[in-house]
Amino acid sequence: MRILQNITLSVAVLALLAGCGTKTSDRALSGAGIGAGVGAVSGALMGSPATGAVVGAGVGAAAGALTKKQDVDLGEPIWR
């Protein structure tokens, strides 16, 4: 049950934070970075941080690419 809670929390955080940036590519990139970090932490709790990072990056990139600027606007990305 604890693993399911961690995964649910990770997906919720990704969905909220993946909207960084004004362009789709910015949101996908920031979502992938955030997802990789959250996935690595979640994966470390389950015994495989590399797998968690890869899965998290994929989910984060998808969440970022599927969101619109109006959904979540946290301002300009730091690389601009």
Side-chain angles (χ1 to χ4, degrees), residues 27-52:
R27 289 188 303 277
L29 199 84
S30 61
I34 293 166
V38 172
V41 170
S42 297
L45 295 173
M46 297 187 315
S48 179
T51 302

